[in-house]
Amino acid sequence: MPYLVAAVVLVGLLCMVNLLLTVGVIRRLRHQAAQPAAHADPMRGEGLVRGDRLPDFAATTTGGEPISAELLGGPALVGFFSVGCEPCEKLLPRFVEHARRTHDAVLAVVAAEPGEPSEAYVDQLAQVARVVHETPGGPVQSAFKVSGYPTVLRIGADGTVVSSDHVMPVAAGT
């Protein structure tokens, strides 16, 4: 009989500890939910989202022509790639193929440190897009608030972001 009493007391104590821990977890979750989310999607960071306006930017393409928000206009497809990024290498051929089929303006930004071999990226993209080559965090990437690679944006005819993702957007008619 004393073993049974001890077992019941032990189970009761374990239930109380479990209850206290559960209350602590609930309080913590409520506290976190009340905090404004710094990043809804940790992979996306603070990048442009659907409905944002095309940001002002100005750059020179690898072909020597100027490019800006006014010259790009909309509809447009904009891709950001980083040299040595494995997801970028996987997405690059799909982006090029998609750019071949679209009637939209196409801008591609290749981010590479000085001395990194970026010619393969630039050569592939130059066949279908106006290409800007800059260091990571460069002016065009800053204007578009790019924080991860690859990033692909679709800009609508009205100059607003239709989609922003790390994969190719699905769009009707292209």
Side-chain angles (χ1 to χ4, degrees):
M1 187 68 151
Y3 293 114
L4 182 59
V5 171
V8 169
V9 169
L10 181 64
V11 168
L13 288 174
L14 286 175
C15 287
M16 290 300 291
V17 169
N18 186 24
L19 181 63
L20 289 173
L21 290 174
T22 303
V23 168
V25 168
I26 291 171
R27 290 183 67 197
R28 175 131 236 184
L29 289 173
R30 284 185 179 164
H31 177 71
Q32 286 178 347
Q35 299 284 329
H39 305 295
D41 180 359
M43 291 298 291
R44 187 177 314 261
E46 295 180 6
L48 298 177
V49 295
R50 184 183 178 109
D52 286 348
R53 300 276 318 149
L54 180 64
D56 289 331
F57 70 95
T60 303
T61 67
T62 55
E65 68 176 297
I67 185 73
S68 66
E70 290 177 20
L71 295 173
L72 181 63
L77 179 66
V78 183
F80 294 88
F81 300 91
S82 178
V83 173
C85 158
E86 187 176 329
C88 296
E89 291 175 13
K90 290 179 180 178
L91 183 66
L92 187 64
R94 292 182 52 222
F95 182 87
V96 169
E97 183 57 36
H98 186 80
R100 273 196 181 96
R101 294 185 317 222
T102 187
H103 299 292
D104 298 348
V106 181
L107 172 65
V109 178
V110 177
E113 293 291 343
E116 279 188 306
S118 58
E119 296 81 20
Y121 280 64
V122 172
D123 291 345
Q124 286 182 59
L125 291 165
Q127 298 171 20
V128 295
R130 291 179 264 183
V131 180
V132 173
H133 184 271
E134 60 185 21
T135 59
V140 178
Q141 296 162 73
S142 294
F144 281 85
K145 300 178 184 175
V146 173
S147 61
Y149 303 99
T151 297
V152 179
L153 294 104
R154 181 170 295 286
I155 309 297
D158 62 351
T160 60
V161 175
V162 175
S163 68
S164 173
D165 209 338
H166 296 288
V167 297
M168 284 303 304
V170 179
T174 56

